[in-house]
Amino acid sequence: MAKQNIYDNEIFFAGYKGIRDNEANANNLFEMPALFSMMPQLKGKRVLDLGCGFGEHCRKFVDYGAEEVVGIDISEKMLKVAMAENCHPKIQYINMPMEDISQLQGRFDIVVSSLAFHYIEDFKGVIGNVYKLLDEDGIFIFSQENPLCTCHSGGDRWTRDENGAKLFANLSCYGVEGERESAWFVDNVKKYHRTFSTIINTLIEAGFSIEKMLEPVPTAELLEKYPEYKDLLHKPDFFLIKAKK
Amino acid sequence: MAKQNIYDNEIFFAGYKGIRDNEANANNLFEMPALFSMMPQLKGKRVLDLGCGFGEHCRKFVDYGAEEVVGIDISEKMLKVAMAENCHPKIQYINMPMEDISQLQGRFDIVVSSLAFHYIEDFKGVIGNVYKLLDEDGIFIFSQENPLCTCHSGGDRWTRDENGAKLFANLSCYGVEGERESAWFVDNVKKYHRTFSTIINTLIEAGFSIEKMLEPVPTAELLEKYPEYKDLLHKPDFFLIKAKK
């Protein structure tokens, strides 16, 4: 199955880095707090980060006491930034698509992946390999685009009033799984839509038990500061799962 | 919290019965096959059916070998039909809201509920009592309206083309949980919207482990026979879970 390396596209990379450099981005406000809220005690733990990108999470795992962190990413460009900005003797960065993690040596206490799985065609294969790489009672935590977003199949994502304000989200083809072409900085970014049920059942069939699911939406407090995020009350951007081997 | 008895409203009851009398209804084509696909071996088992309605499922459980079936429902009207049409010495029908099941005697191997939980305000309370009523390793299987449906907060559920054909579903307020007023045969039918995450986490926090999730959509074969169900590819009507104590 296809392994997609869109982050090494220069325009995509520049656009993505621009978003991440804005501190009030949705990742910082919603995805990261939710991801870390599910994290177990990291002291002395071996952590694997699938699609580690700029290595910000890897660095945090070490700050929180992890003994050994391996970050893998298919994109050389991303890892160059990671090595420049989030270098640490306890972190090893490996340029590898996550479809190839069966080649990794050793076992891990925790496997994490942040906002990468919606780019992955062979979800089942990756999940099976994560299971094998985890020690008994190991924890697997990941975030991805919410299935209410990945389902989108063309056209405007929103129905708008006469002033262009968003009224509600367009839910199209939620029940039709598979590849989606979308434009995000560049054309032809491939995403793979799976329903909530398929994601959950794939984990269970691999042997995992589900411990928690999150779909972060803004609190009233956050909306006061950042009213532009009120649309997430219609359609959360993110979906996170904590599972146990 | 409120206990809703909408099925004893005469107009609602007549409208609902009319739908169920049509054999190609969505319950028969999607919900029931999905529900029974998750059912364990029933031979010799004690089964509790929450919101048993006309008792059709109760009767099937006996046909499949269940030793003892208890069907409860808040609606006297529904139970009158159940006792007339699906009476059996192994089935006991009790007129009781499912919020009161802690009053039931005995333990069960399997608890089932079909399309009733979206009418229930105190979901957490009911789930906690289901857990207590199940024997060790007991199985809990339920269906409800899909959260992609229960979220609906007024206006047309669909965006349509100039001929009135459905283009896609309107997803409004998915992230805002709680009561919804809807009109189905009569005004002011109360439903309670919970996200996928809240439903799953409530089960896990009560002690259940999730075994399977289903959101049935039509197969190509079924669509050939009943093309009117193609909209379910945008927005599945149902959501089912199998969990284990």
Side-chain angles (χ1 to χ4, degrees), chain A residues 148 159 168-176 195-197 200-201 204 210-215 217 233-236, chain B residues 148 159 168-176 195-197 200-201 204 210-215 217 233-236:
Chain A
L148 303 183
T159 293
F168 44 73
N170 295 338
L171 188 72
S172 63
C173 295
Y174 172 81
V176 183
T195 62
F196 289 99
S197 305
I200 292 287
N201 293 338
I204 293 169
I210 309 297
E211 298 224 312
K212 193 158 196 160
M213 246 174 88
L214 292 175
E215 297 166 89
V217 291
L233 295 176
H234 286 315
K235 179 177 67 61
Chain B
L148 304 182
T159 293
F168 45 74
N170 296 337
L171 188 71
S172 63
C173 295
Y174 172 81
V176 183
T195 63
F196 289 99
S197 306
I200 293 288
N201 293 339
I204 293 169
I210 309 297
E211 298 224 313
K212 191 155 199 163
M213 246 174 88
L214 291 176
E215 297 167 88
V217 292
L233 295 176
H234 287 314
K235 179 177 67 61

Short mmCIF file of all heavy atoms in Angstrom, two decimals, chain A residues 148 159 168-176 195-197 200-201 204 210-215 217 233-236, chain B residues 148 159 168-176 195-197 200-201 204 210-215 217 233-236:
data_model
loop_
_atom_site.label_atom_id
_atom_site.label_comp_id
_atom_site.label_asym_id
_atom_site.label_seq_id
_atom_site.Cartn_x
_atom_site.Cartn_y
_atom_site.Cartn_z
N LEU A 148 -15.33 12.82 11.40
CA LEU A 148 -16.30 13.79 10.87
C LEU A 148 -15.63 14.77 9.91
O LEU A 148 -16.31 15.48 9.17
CB LEU A 148 -16.97 14.56 12.02
CG LEU A 148 -17.67 13.69 13.06
CD1 LEU A 148 -18.35 14.55 14.11
CD2 LEU A 148 -18.68 12.77 12.39
N THR A 159 -21.99 24.87 5.34
CA THR A 159 -23.08 25.64 4.74
C THR A 159 -23.08 26.99 5.44
O THR A 159 -22.95 27.06 6.68
CB THR A 159 -24.43 24.92 4.94
OG1 THR A 159 -24.40 23.72 4.18
CG2 THR A 159 -25.59 25.78 4.47
N PHE A 168 -23.55 25.30 9.59
CA PHE A 168 -23.30 23.96 10.11
C PHE A 168 -22.36 23.25 9.16
O PHE A 168 -22.09 23.74 8.06
CB PHE A 168 -24.60 23.17 10.29
CG PHE A 168 -25.55 23.30 9.15
CD1 PHE A 168 -25.30 22.67 7.94
CD2 PHE A 168 -26.71 24.04 9.28
CE1 PHE A 168 -26.17 22.80 6.88
CE2 PHE A 168 -27.58 24.17 8.22
CZ PHE A 168 -27.32 23.56 7.02
N ALA A 169 -21.86 22.10 9.57
CA ALA A 169 -20.89 21.35 8.76
C ALA A 169 -21.61 20.45 7.78
O ALA A 169 -22.71 19.98 8.03
CB ALA A 169 -20.00 20.53 9.68
N ASN A 170 -20.98 20.23 6.64
CA ASN A 170 -21.50 19.30 5.65
C ASN A 170 -20.93 17.91 5.90
O ASN A 170 -19.72 17.72 5.86
CB ASN A 170 -21.11 19.74 4.24
CG ASN A 170 -21.74 21.06 3.88
OD1 ASN A 170 -22.74 21.44 4.49
ND2 ASN A 170 -21.17 21.75 2.93
N LEU A 171 -21.81 16.98 6.15
CA LEU A 171 -21.37 15.62 6.41
C LEU A 171 -21.65 14.79 5.16
O LEU A 171 -22.79 14.44 4.88
CB LEU A 171 -22.14 15.05 7.60
CG LEU A 171 -21.64 13.71 8.11
CD1 LEU A 171 -20.31 13.88 8.82
CD2 LEU A 171 -22.65 13.08 9.05
N SER A 172 -20.59 14.52 4.41
CA SER A 172 -20.81 13.79 3.16
C SER A 172 -19.98 12.52 3.15
O SER A 172 -18.81 12.52 3.51
CB SER A 172 -20.47 14.67 1.95
OG SER A 172 -19.13 15.02 1.96
N CYS A 173 -20.62 11.42 2.81
CA CYS A 173 -19.93 10.14 2.61
C CYS A 173 -19.22 9.63 3.87
O CYS A 173 -18.19 8.97 3.76
CB CYS A 173 -18.94 10.23 1.46
SG CYS A 173 -19.76 10.51 -0.12
N TYR A 174 -19.78 9.91 5.04
CA TYR A 174 -19.19 9.36 6.28
C TYR A 174 -19.13 7.83 6.22
O TYR A 174 -18.18 7.22 6.70
CB TYR A 174 -20.01 9.81 7.50
CG TYR A 174 -19.56 9.12 8.76
CD1 TYR A 174 -18.45 9.55 9.46
CD2 TYR A 174 -20.24 7.98 9.23
CE1 TYR A 174 -18.02 8.89 10.59
CE2 TYR A 174 -19.82 7.31 10.37
CZ TYR A 174 -18.71 7.77 11.04
OH TYR A 174 -18.27 7.11 12.16
N GLY A 175 -20.14 7.23 5.59
CA GLY A 175 -20.21 5.76 5.55
C GLY A 175 -19.39 5.12 4.43
O GLY A 175 -19.40 3.90 4.30
N VAL A 176 -18.70 5.94 3.64
CA VAL A 176 -17.90 5.39 2.54
C VAL A 176 -16.43 5.57 2.88
O VAL A 176 -15.89 6.67 2.83
CB VAL A 176 -18.22 6.13 1.21
CG1 VAL A 176 -17.44 5.50 0.06
CG2 VAL A 176 -19.72 6.12 0.94
N THR A 195 -14.43 5.13 9.57
CA THR A 195 -15.45 5.50 10.54
C THR A 195 -14.93 5.27 11.97
O THR A 195 -13.93 4.56 12.17
CB THR A 195 -16.72 4.66 10.35
OG1 THR A 195 -16.39 3.28 10.58
CG2 THR A 195 -17.28 4.80 8.95
N PHE A 196 -15.60 5.86 12.93
CA PHE A 196 -15.26 5.59 14.33
C PHE A 196 -15.23 4.08 14.59
O PHE A 196 -14.32 3.56 15.23
CB PHE A 196 -16.31 6.21 15.26
CG PHE A 196 -16.27 7.71 15.34
CD1 PHE A 196 -17.15 8.48 14.60
CD2 PHE A 196 -15.37 8.35 16.16
CE1 PHE A 196 -17.13 9.87 14.67
CE2 PHE A 196 -15.33 9.74 16.24
CZ PHE A 196 -16.22 10.50 15.49
N SER A 197 -16.25 3.39 14.07
CA SER A 197 -16.36 1.95 14.33
C SER A 197 -15.17 1.18 13.79
O SER A 197 -14.64 0.29 14.46
CB SER A 197 -17.63 1.39 13.67
OG SER A 197 -18.74 2.12 14.11
N ILE A 200 -12.07 1.77 16.01
CA ILE A 200 -12.20 1.05 17.29
C ILE A 200 -12.07 -0.47 17.07
O ILE A 200 -11.31 -1.15 17.78
CB ILE A 200 -13.56 1.37 17.93
CG1 ILE A 200 -13.60 2.84 18.38
CG2 ILE A 200 -13.88 0.43 19.09
CD1 ILE A 200 -12.78 3.15 19.60
N ASN A 201 -12.77 -1.00 16.08
CA ASN A 201 -12.74 -2.44 15.85
C ASN A 201 -11.36 -2.93 15.42
O ASN A 201 -10.94 -4.04 15.78
CB ASN A 201 -13.79 -2.84 14.81
CG ASN A 201 -15.21 -2.63 15.31
OD1 ASN A 201 -15.44 -2.58 16.53
ND2 ASN A 201 -16.14 -2.50 14.40
N ILE A 204 -9.36 -3.29 18.59
CA ILE A 204 -9.81 -4.43 19.39
C ILE A 204 -9.36 -5.74 18.74
O ILE A 204 -8.87 -6.64 19.41
CB ILE A 204 -11.34 -4.38 19.58
CG1 ILE A 204 -11.73 -3.18 20.44
CG2 ILE A 204 -11.85 -5.68 20.21
CD1 ILE A 204 -13.21 -2.88 20.48
N ILE A 210 -9.71 -0.77 24.74
CA ILE A 210 -9.88 0.68 24.67
C ILE A 210 -10.00 1.24 26.08
O ILE A 210 -10.78 0.74 26.89
CB ILE A 210 -11.17 1.03 23.87
CG1 ILE A 210 -11.19 0.30 22.52
CG2 ILE A 210 -11.30 2.54 23.67
CD1 ILE A 210 -10.09 0.65 21.57
N GLU A 211 -9.23 2.26 26.39
CA GLU A 211 -9.28 2.87 27.72
C GLU A 211 -9.98 4.22 27.72
O GLU A 211 -10.56 4.61 28.72
CB GLU A 211 -7.87 3.04 28.28
CG GLU A 211 -7.13 1.73 28.45
CD GLU A 211 -6.40 1.67 29.77
OE1 GLU A 211 -5.70 2.64 30.09
OE2 GLU A 211 -6.55 0.64 30.47
N LYS A 212 -9.88 4.94 26.62
CA LYS A 212 -10.51 6.26 26.58
C LYS A 212 -10.58 6.77 25.14
O LYS A 212 -9.74 6.44 24.32
CB LYS A 212 -9.73 7.26 27.45
CG LYS A 212 -10.48 8.53 27.71
CD LYS A 212 -9.97 9.24 28.96
CE LYS A 212 -10.98 10.27 29.42
NZ LYS A 212 -10.80 10.66 30.80
N MET A 213 -11.58 7.59 24.88
CA MET A 213 -11.74 8.26 23.58
C MET A 213 -11.98 9.72 23.85
O MET A 213 -12.73 10.05 24.77
CB MET A 213 -13.02 7.71 22.91
CG MET A 213 -12.82 6.92 21.66
SD MET A 213 -14.41 6.21 21.10
CE MET A 213 -15.02 7.54 20.07
N LEU A 214 -11.40 10.59 23.06
CA LEU A 214 -11.64 12.02 23.24
C LEU A 214 -11.90 12.70 21.89
O LEU A 214 -11.29 12.36 20.88
CB LEU A 214 -10.44 12.71 23.92
CG LEU A 214 -10.16 12.36 25.38
CD1 LEU A 214 -8.88 13.04 25.86
CD2 LEU A 214 -11.32 12.76 26.29
N GLU A 215 -12.82 13.65 21.90
CA GLU A 215 -13.08 14.53 20.75
C GLU A 215 -13.14 15.95 21.30
O GLU A 215 -14.23 16.45 21.59
CB GLU A 215 -14.42 14.17 20.10
CG GLU A 215 -14.47 12.78 19.52
CD GLU A 215 -15.90 12.37 19.19
OE1 GLU A 215 -16.34 12.63 18.08
OE2 GLU A 215 -16.57 11.81 20.08
N VAL A 217 -13.59 19.65 22.31
CA VAL A 217 -14.32 20.83 21.84
C VAL A 217 -14.00 21.98 22.80
O VAL A 217 -13.62 21.75 23.93
CB VAL A 217 -15.85 20.59 21.77
CG1 VAL A 217 -16.19 19.60 20.67
CG2 VAL A 217 -16.41 20.13 23.09
N LEU A 233 -17.75 23.29 17.82
CA LEU A 233 -18.93 22.75 18.50
C LEU A 233 -19.82 22.00 17.50
O LEU A 233 -20.59 21.12 17.87
CB LEU A 233 -19.72 23.86 19.20
CG LEU A 233 -18.98 24.55 20.34
CD1 LEU A 233 -19.82 25.70 20.90
CD2 LEU A 233 -18.67 23.56 21.48
N HIS A 234 -19.74 22.37 16.24
CA HIS A 234 -20.44 21.59 15.22
C HIS A 234 -19.65 20.32 14.87
O HIS A 234 -20.20 19.24 14.76
CB HIS A 234 -20.63 22.41 13.94
CG HIS A 234 -21.68 23.46 14.05
ND1 HIS A 234 -22.90 23.23 14.62
CD2 HIS A 234 -21.68 24.77 13.67
CE1 HIS A 234 -23.62 24.34 14.58
NE2 HIS A 234 -22.91 25.28 14.03
N LYS A 235 -18.35 20.48 14.69
CA LYS A 235 -17.53 19.39 14.13
C LYS A 235 -16.14 19.44 14.75
O LYS A 235 -15.32 20.26 14.35
CB LYS A 235 -17.43 19.60 12.62
CG LYS A 235 -16.61 18.58 11.87
CD LYS A 235 -16.62 18.80 10.38
CE LYS A 235 -15.93 20.06 9.91
NZ LYS A 235 -14.50 20.14 10.22
N PRO A 236 -15.88 18.60 15.74
CA PRO A 236 -14.54 18.61 16.36
C PRO A 236 -13.48 18.23 15.32
O PRO A 236 -13.70 17.35 14.49
CB PRO A 236 -14.63 17.52 17.44
CG PRO A 236 -16.05 17.10 17.52
CD PRO A 236 -16.77 17.58 16.31
N LEU B 148 -24.48 10.96 15.03
CA LEU B 148 -24.56 11.88 13.88
C LEU B 148 -26.00 12.29 13.61
O LEU B 148 -26.25 13.25 12.88
CB LEU B 148 -23.96 11.24 12.63
CG LEU B 148 -22.52 10.76 12.78
CD1 LEU B 148 -22.01 10.19 11.47
CD2 LEU B 148 -21.63 11.90 13.26
N THR B 159 -28.99 19.11 3.23
CA THR B 159 -28.91 20.16 2.21
C THR B 159 -29.30 19.50 0.90
O THR B 159 -28.84 18.40 0.60
CB THR B 159 -27.49 20.74 2.15
OG1 THR B 159 -27.24 21.42 3.37
CG2 THR B 159 -27.34 21.71 0.99
N PHE B 168 -26.13 16.31 1.05
CA PHE B 168 -25.35 15.81 2.18
C PHE B 168 -26.09 16.15 3.46
O PHE B 168 -27.05 16.93 3.45
CB PHE B 168 -23.93 16.37 2.19
CG PHE B 168 -23.86 17.85 1.93
CD1 PHE B 168 -24.26 18.76 2.90
CD2 PHE B 168 -23.43 18.32 0.71
CE1 PHE B 168 -24.20 20.12 2.66
CE2 PHE B 168 -23.38 19.68 0.46
CZ PHE B 168 -23.77 20.58 1.42
N ALA B 169 -25.63 15.56 4.56
CA ALA B 169 -26.31 15.77 5.85
C ALA B 169 -25.79 17.03 6.53
O ALA B 169 -24.63 17.41 6.35
CB ALA B 169 -26.07 14.56 6.74
N ASN B 170 -26.65 17.67 7.29
CA ASN B 170 -26.24 18.83 8.08
C ASN B 170 -25.80 18.38 9.46
O ASN B 170 -26.59 17.80 10.20
CB ASN B 170 -27.40 19.81 8.22
CG ASN B 170 -27.81 20.38 6.89
OD1 ASN B 170 -27.01 20.40 5.95
ND2 ASN B 170 -29.05 20.82 6.78
N LEU B 171 -24.56 18.67 9.77
CA LEU B 171 -24.04 18.28 11.08
C LEU B 171 -24.00 19.52 11.95
O LEU B 171 -23.14 20.39 11.79
CB LEU B 171 -22.64 17.70 10.90
CG LEU B 171 -22.04 17.08 12.15
CD1 LEU B 171 -22.75 15.77 12.47
CD2 LEU B 171 -20.55 16.83 11.98
N SER B 172 -24.95 19.61 12.87
CA SER B 172 -24.99 20.81 13.71
C SER B 172 -24.91 20.43 15.18
O SER B 172 -25.58 19.51 15.62
CB SER B 172 -26.26 21.62 13.43
OG SER B 172 -27.40 20.90 13.77
N CYS B 173 -24.04 21.12 15.90
CA CYS B 173 -23.94 20.96 17.35
C CYS B 173 -23.58 19.54 17.79
O CYS B 173 -24.01 19.12 18.88
CB CYS B 173 -25.23 21.40 18.02
SG CYS B 173 -25.53 23.16 17.80
N TYR B 174 -22.80 18.82 17.00
CA TYR B 174 -22.34 17.50 17.44
C TYR B 174 -21.60 17.59 18.78
O TYR B 174 -21.71 16.69 19.62
CB TYR B 174 -21.43 16.88 16.37
CG TYR B 174 -20.78 15.60 16.85
CD1 TYR B 174 -21.47 14.40 16.84
CD2 TYR B 174 -19.48 15.61 17.37
CE1 TYR B 174 -20.90 13.24 17.31
CE2 TYR B 174 -18.89 14.45 17.84
CZ TYR B 174 -19.60 13.26 17.81
OH TYR B 174 -19.03 12.13 18.30
N GLY B 175 -20.86 18.66 18.98
CA GLY B 175 -20.05 18.80 20.19
C GLY B 175 -20.81 19.35 21.39
O GLY B 175 -20.21 19.53 22.46
N VAL B 176 -22.09 19.61 21.23
CA VAL B 176 -22.89 20.15 22.34
C VAL B 176 -23.86 19.06 22.79
O VAL B 176 -24.85 18.77 22.12
CB VAL B 176 -23.69 21.40 21.91
CG1 VAL B 176 -24.44 21.99 23.08
CG2 VAL B 176 -22.75 22.43 21.28
N THR B 195 -21.90 12.36 22.43
CA THR B 195 -20.91 12.06 21.39
C THR B 195 -20.50 10.59 21.48
O THR B 195 -20.72 9.92 22.50
CB THR B 195 -19.66 12.94 21.56
OG1 THR B 195 -19.06 12.63 22.82
CG2 THR B 195 -20.00 14.43 21.51
N PHE B 196 -19.87 10.10 20.42
CA PHE B 196 -19.30 8.75 20.45
C PHE B 196 -18.41 8.58 21.68
O PHE B 196 -18.47 7.57 22.38
CB PHE B 196 -18.46 8.50 19.19
CG PHE B 196 -19.24 8.35 17.92
CD1 PHE B 196 -19.38 9.41 17.04
CD2 PHE B 196 -19.84 7.14 17.59
CE1 PHE B 196 -20.11 9.27 15.86
CE2 PHE B 196 -20.56 7.00 16.41
CZ PHE B 196 -20.69 8.07 15.54
N SER B 197 -17.57 9.59 21.92
CA SER B 197 -16.60 9.50 23.03
C SER B 197 -17.30 9.36 24.37
O SER B 197 -16.88 8.55 25.21
CB SER B 197 -15.72 10.75 23.06
OG SER B 197 -15.12 10.95 21.82
N ILE B 200 -18.75 5.79 24.75
CA ILE B 200 -17.68 4.81 24.99
C ILE B 200 -17.08 5.00 26.39
O ILE B 200 -16.90 4.03 27.15
CB ILE B 200 -16.58 4.98 23.91
CG1 ILE B 200 -17.12 4.57 22.53
CG2 ILE B 200 -15.32 4.20 24.28
CD1 ILE B 200 -17.32 3.09 22.35
N ASN B 201 -16.76 6.23 26.76
CA ASN B 201 -16.12 6.47 28.06
C ASN B 201 -17.04 6.13 29.23
O ASN B 201 -16.58 5.64 30.26
CB ASN B 201 -15.66 7.93 28.16
CG ASN B 201 -14.54 8.24 27.19
OD1 ASN B 201 -13.84 7.33 26.73
ND2 ASN B 201 -14.37 9.51 26.85
N ILE B 204 -16.77 2.40 29.66
CA ILE B 204 -15.47 2.01 30.22
C ILE B 204 -15.40 2.39 31.70
O ILE B 204 -14.95 1.59 32.54
CB ILE B 204 -14.32 2.66 29.42
CG1 ILE B 204 -14.29 2.07 28.00
CG2 ILE B 204 -12.98 2.46 30.12
CD1 ILE B 204 -13.38 2.82 27.04
N ILE B 210 -14.97 -2.74 25.84
CA ILE B 210 -15.65 -2.64 24.54
C ILE B 210 -15.20 -3.80 23.66
O ILE B 210 -14.00 -4.05 23.52
CB ILE B 210 -15.31 -1.30 23.85
CG1 ILE B 210 -15.54 -0.12 24.79
CG2 ILE B 210 -16.10 -1.13 22.55
CD1 ILE B 210 -16.94 0.07 25.25
N GLU B 211 -16.15 -4.51 23.08
CA GLU B 211 -15.80 -5.63 22.20
C GLU B 211 -16.03 -5.32 20.73
O GLU B 211 -15.36 -5.89 19.87
CB GLU B 211 -16.63 -6.86 22.58
CG GLU B 211 -16.37 -7.34 24.00
CD GLU B 211 -16.24 -8.85 24.06
OE1 GLU B 211 -17.09 -9.54 23.48
OE2 GLU B 211 -15.26 -9.32 24.69
N LYS B 212 -17.01 -4.49 20.44
CA LYS B 212 -17.28 -4.17 19.04
C LYS B 212 -18.19 -2.95 18.95
O LYS B 212 -18.99 -2.68 19.83
CB LYS B 212 -17.96 -5.36 18.35
CG LYS B 212 -18.03 -5.22 16.85
CD LYS B 212 -18.12 -6.58 16.16
CE LYS B 212 -17.72 -6.47 14.71
NZ LYS B 212 -17.42 -7.74 14.10
N MET B 213 -18.03 -2.21 17.85
CA MET B 213 -18.88 -1.06 17.54
C MET B 213 -19.36 -1.23 16.12
O MET B 213 -18.58 -1.64 15.25
CB MET B 213 -18.01 0.20 17.57
CG MET B 213 -18.32 1.19 18.64
SD MET B 213 -17.09 2.53 18.64
CE MET B 213 -17.84 3.67 17.46
N LEU B 214 -20.61 -0.91 15.84
CA LEU B 214 -21.11 -0.99 14.47
C LEU B 214 -21.91 0.26 14.11
O LEU B 214 -22.64 0.79 14.95
CB LEU B 214 -22.00 -2.23 14.28
CG LEU B 214 -21.33 -3.60 14.34
CD1 LEU B 214 -22.39 -4.71 14.24
CD2 LEU B 214 -20.29 -3.78 13.24
N GLU B 215 -21.76 0.69 12.88
CA GLU B 215 -22.59 1.77 12.31
C GLU B 215 -23.04 1.28 10.93
O GLU B 215 -22.41 1.59 9.93
CB GLU B 215 -21.77 3.04 12.15
CG GLU B 215 -21.25 3.61 13.45
CD GLU B 215 -20.20 4.67 13.21
OE1 GLU B 215 -20.55 5.84 13.05
OE2 GLU B 215 -19.00 4.31 13.16
N VAL B 217 -24.21 0.51 7.35
CA VAL B 217 -24.54 1.24 6.12
C VAL B 217 -24.93 0.21 5.06
O VAL B 217 -24.54 -0.96 5.15
CB VAL B 217 -23.38 2.12 5.62
CG1 VAL B 217 -23.12 3.27 6.57
CG2 VAL B 217 -22.12 1.30 5.40
N LEU B 233 -25.32 6.34 3.43
CA LEU B 233 -23.88 6.42 3.16
C LEU B 233 -23.32 7.77 3.64
O LEU B 233 -22.14 7.89 3.92
CB LEU B 233 -23.58 6.20 1.68
CG LEU B 233 -23.93 4.81 1.15
CD1 LEU B 233 -23.69 4.74 -0.35
CD2 LEU B 233 -23.10 3.73 1.86
N HIS B 234 -24.17 8.78 3.69
CA HIS B 234 -23.74 10.05 4.27
C HIS B 234 -23.79 9.99 5.80
O HIS B 234 -22.87 10.41 6.48
CB HIS B 234 -24.64 11.21 3.80
CG HIS B 234 -24.41 11.61 2.39
ND1 HIS B 234 -23.15 11.80 1.87
CD2 HIS B 234 -25.26 11.87 1.38
CE1 HIS B 234 -23.25 12.16 0.60
NE2 HIS B 234 -24.51 12.20 0.28
N LYS B 235 -24.88 9.45 6.31
CA LYS B 235 -25.14 9.54 7.76
C LYS B 235 -25.85 8.28 8.21
O LYS B 235 -27.05 8.15 8.00
CB LYS B 235 -26.03 10.76 8.01
CG LYS B 235 -26.42 11.01 9.45
CD LYS B 235 -27.24 12.27 9.61
CE LYS B 235 -28.60 12.23 8.98
NZ LYS B 235 -29.52 11.18 9.50
N PRO B 236 -25.12 7.32 8.80
CA PRO B 236 -25.78 6.10 9.27
C PRO B 236 -26.82 6.43 10.34
O PRO B 236 -26.58 7.29 11.19
CB PRO B 236 -24.64 5.27 9.87
CG PRO B 236 -23.37 5.98 9.56
CD PRO B 236 -23.69 7.36 9.11
#
